[in-house]
């Protein structure tokens, strides 16, 4: 099992953490929502939970809760800029279908 970041995403996370002035990494997860059933969650982590699983990619800690690993295994997180829009993009090999707006997915 592995979750990775591109160098661009790792650089962006490090910048966000530096601007916050605290934090040990980035938590990735999934929640039930949207028209396709699941959506990604991202949040900064200041303390680990006992059950957390931690990966490291390009010097950044990626923290996942055990329930989300099943849906995120093999995922690469990228940071992209397209015109005036920028944000994190999940390249998840487990996704079977996405909704039209791109906010939710099914596995």
């Amino acid at each position: 099992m592995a979750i990775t970041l591109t160098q661009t995403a790792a650089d962006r996370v490090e910048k966000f953490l530096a601007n916050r002035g605290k934090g040990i990494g980035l938590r990735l997860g999934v929640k039930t929502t949207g028209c396709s059933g699941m959506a990604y969650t991202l949040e900064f982590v200041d303390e680990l939970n006992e059950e957390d699983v931690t990966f490291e990619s390009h010097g950044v800690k990626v923290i996942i809760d055990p329930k989300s690993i099943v849906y995120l295994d093999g995922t690469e997180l990228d940071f992209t800029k397209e015109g005036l829009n920028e944000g994190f993009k999940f390249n998840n090999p487990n996704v079977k279908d996405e909704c039209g707006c791109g906010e939710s997915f099914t596995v």
Side-chain angles (χ1 to χ4, degrees), residues 1 3 24-30 41 43-56 61-69 72:
M1 287 192 282
I3 310 297
I24 59 170
L26 182 69
R27 180 181 304 281
L28 304 182
V30 295
T41 61
E43 63 184 10
F44 296 109
V45 177
D46 296 325
E47 292 182 20
L48 290 174
N49 297 325
E50 187 176 310
E51 67 275 1
D52 285 338
V53 178
T54 304
F55 299 94
E56 190 162 324
K61 286 188 181 183
V62 180
I63 297 105
I64 313 275
D65 66 272
K67 293 178 183 177
S68 295
I69 283 186
L72 296 174

Side-chain angles (χ1 to χ4, degrees), residues 2 14 16 19-20 22 27-28 38 44 47 49 51 55 61 67 71 73 76 82 84-85 105:
E14 286 177 338
F16 282 136
N19 288 341
R20 283 182 83 227
K22 63 179 181 176
R27 180 181 304 281
L28 304 182
M38 305 191 93
F44 296 109
E47 292 182 20
N49 297 325
E51 67 275 1
F55 299 94
K61 286 188 181 183
K67 293 178 183 177
Y71 305 106
D73 185 30
E76 177 188 65
E82 295 176 13
L84 297 175
N85 297 320
F105 64 96

Side-chain angles (χ1 to χ4, degrees), residues 58-100:
H58 296 286
V60 173
K61 286 188 181 183
V62 180
I63 297 105
I64 313 275
D65 66 272
K67 293 178 183 177
S68 295
I69 283 186
V70 174
Y71 305 106
L72 296 174
D73 185 30
T75 296
E76 177 188 65
L77 184 65
D78 194 7
F79 188 83
T80 60
K81 293 182 181 182
E82 295 176 13
L84 297 175
N85 297 320
E86 63 180 22
F88 289 102
K89 179 181 178 188
F90 289 81
N91 298 313
N92 185 344
N94 304 303
V95 171
K96 301 290 186 233
D97 197 18
E98 293 179 323
C99 68

